[in-house]
Each structure stands twice: as C-alpha cells, then as structure tokens.
Amino acid sequence: MKLIRSRRGIAVFSVFAVATASALETDGNLKQTAKKLLSILERRQDGGGGPDLTSPFEVALADTHISAGAESSKSPQLQALRWLSESTSARENLQDTSPIDADTDLAQRYALAVLYFATGGDSWKECSQDVTSKCESSDGSGLQSSAHFLSGGPVCSWFGLTCTNDQKKDIVTWIDLSKNGLSGSIPNELSLLSDNLELLWLSGNPELGGNLPQWIGKMKHLQSLSFFDSGISGTIPDSLYNLSKLSSLRAYGSKLEGTISTKIGQLKNMQWLWMHGCEFTGTTIPTELGSLKKLGALTMHGNAFGRDTLPSEICDLRTSGTKKLEHLWTNCDANRSCDCCTKCFPRSGVPVDGSNAEIRAEEV
C-alpha cells in the first residue's frame, strides 16, 4: 500500500490501495459511492468538533475484498457501504441533478444503515430489512413494504422515522425505535444527522448499551431524548447540557451513573425530566434544578444521593415558575415523607401511598 496523505500527524493509507483495487475496479458503483461518501465524511471532519468517521470508513474500504459472508466483513460501516452500493435507489440518487440534495440523502442513508447494522437490525422486532418481518404501516392499514428499514423506498417511509421537507430536501428529524429489540451501541455515524434531528427515542431496548456519546451535544435542535429502560451507561456527557432546546429527557431505568453536573441548570427549556431508577450519586440533588422555570415533572427517586432532602430551590418550583412543577417524585426521608414532593418512595421503590407509580407515556 502507498501513502497518499497525512491527517492530524497520522499517516493514512490510500483508500484505494492494492488490497481493495480489485473489488473497486470490478464494481464501479461501489467505487463511486465510496468516493462520494469519503468526500462527505472528510468535509464533516474538517468542520471539527465531531467524532472521527473517516477512519472506520477507510477500514471498511480496506475490507471490501473480503467475502460478504466472512465474519470479518461484519463491521457496520462495511455492511452499510455494501448496501448503499447495491441499492437501486442509492444508485439513482448518486445521479441526482442537485449535488446538495444527493449528498444529504447519501449521508442520511449511510448514517441510518450503520445504525441498523450496529444495533442488530436483522434481529429487530419490527421492520427489519427482511421483507417477511412484521411491519405495519403507520396508519395501521396493514403491511407496507416501503416501511422496512433499508427498503428501496425513501428513508422518510421507513419505520420509526419522520421527516420534514426543507427546501425540497427530505430531512430526517425524528427517530423513534423504542421497544424494537435494538442491541449493541449508538454508532458515531448517527452524528451525521445532528444538524436537523429534533427527537431521538431509543427506549425499551435493554440490550442497547455503551455510553451516551459526547457528540450528542452537537444536536443543536434536539428537543426530546429518551433512552429509558435501556442498557446505556456511564456518566452524562457535559456536552448534553449545551442542548438549549431540549425539553424532555427520559433516562429512567438506564445504567447512567456518577454525579449530575451543576450545568444541568443551563437546560432552560426543560419540561419533563425523568431520572429515577438510575445509579446517580452525589451529596444531594443539584440545587441548580431550581432554575428550570418551565419544569413540569421531575423524578429523582431510586438513585444513591447522600441526602434525600430536596433543596428549597426545587421546592419553590411547586408554587412558582413559568409552568408549575406538578409531578415531583423523590425518595422519602427518615419519616417516610418529604417536604414538597407529590410522591415519595422509600428505598423499596414502592410509593408510601400505595398508588400506581407507573409513568404514562402521554405525560412525557
């Protein structure tokens, strides 16, 4: 292999080196798709601030000569590249008269294909690429082949996705793959959608693990983030506190741990904050939550805070603020009560009044 360039002081092998030359020369569409994708990823990388997407893509290119059935061909990036090159719709989109629209579509398809393969898409409960898998239309009218992930239809018709038409570009703005049997972890390639994504729901997937990625803070339009009852672990990345439009965060029952930063007070648009049943620690619940004047619901019980007493700043939200804090759930104190909460839970997790503590989806 010959070296053709150097980036960030690290030598990078030619993406069309000897090992891949045969595969790329015999499949012109693979070569064309790879070149366009690499250009998109490099421009994204040059913009700075995001994860490195070019390196795993270049590794995938170096493996294009490997048989599709080989175990080493199972990287999500390589599977996504192969799918793109074989997809009839992807080939047509490469010839789109508008290069901006074509690039957007190609980047979306690549990001979503990597998401599919990285989270065990072939084992999803609904709407895998297997046309025989269960997949009902969004209006409940019956089976809909275009709703299958990786179908030949536009991405906006795929299961769990919602788009907006922006300057004649169909942009993915909502992703809801809740309770669909996802596994693995959130791939970095999903950051390719960060400029437009408003909703990301991955809840009810206990086999979906890994950490919440640092690039989540780049999703400047994100309004709702949900991964409750998942295996997502680690600490909350500081970048999340930069999401100025975030109004709903449902993390309960996940594996999040560590302290909750005082920066949480920066989330001025937060309305629904469900954080119970995690593994958070710290001396007490951050007083900075009291600055979230739009907060309508806050749940903090079932964590490992040193003190269960609620700061007065949070209690004040029960009687003041833009939106009154109607739902405030926390651990009970030594007297099996709390000063200002609407429901308290002893360490057993059962509310003292014996009422149903289930959180209704319509509340969030």
Side-chain angles (χ1 to χ4, degrees), residues 75-203:
S75 81
Q77 293 80 13
L78 179 54
Q79 289 178 290
L81 175 58
R82 281 190 166 133
W83 170 77
L84 277 173
S85 67
E86 295 168 0
S87 168
T88 301
S89 56
R91 294 187 187 196
E92 293 172 350
N93 284 325
L94 285 172
Q95 301 168 4
D96 195 297
T97 55
S98 171
I100 297 178
D101 284 357
D103 283 358
T104 300
D105 183 76
L106 187 61
Q108 284 191 146
R109 286 179 174 270
Y110 178 65
L112 294 167
V114 174
L115 173 65
Y116 177 87
F117 290 116
T119 58
D122 287 345
S123 298
W124 285 2
K125 293 179 179 179
E126 292 187 58
C127 297
S128 71
Q129 65 176 333
D130 182 354
V131 295
T132 65
S133 65
K134 178 183 177 183
C135 193
E136 295 186 0
S137 58
S138 58
D139 59 7
S141 60
L143 297 178
Q144 184 181 27
S145 60
S146 64
H148 287 272
F149 243 73
L150 309 190
S151 71
V155 296
C156 299
S157 68
W158 293 359
F159 172 81
L161 304 183
T162 301
C163 293
T164 184
N165 191 286
D166 179 17
Q167 299 179 355
K168 299 182 179 181
K169 296 183 293 184
D170 289 324
I171 306 296
V172 175
T173 55
W174 286 24
I175 297 178
D176 180 6
L177 295 173
S178 304
K179 301 179 180 179
N180 204 35
L182 276 66
S183 58
S185 60
I186 303 173
N188 286 336
E189 284 73 13
L190 198 60
S191 65
L192 290 169
L193 307 182
S194 61
D195 289 342
N196 299 287
L197 208 61
E198 299 173 359
L199 179 146
L200 179 59
W201 286 6
L202 301 172
S203 301

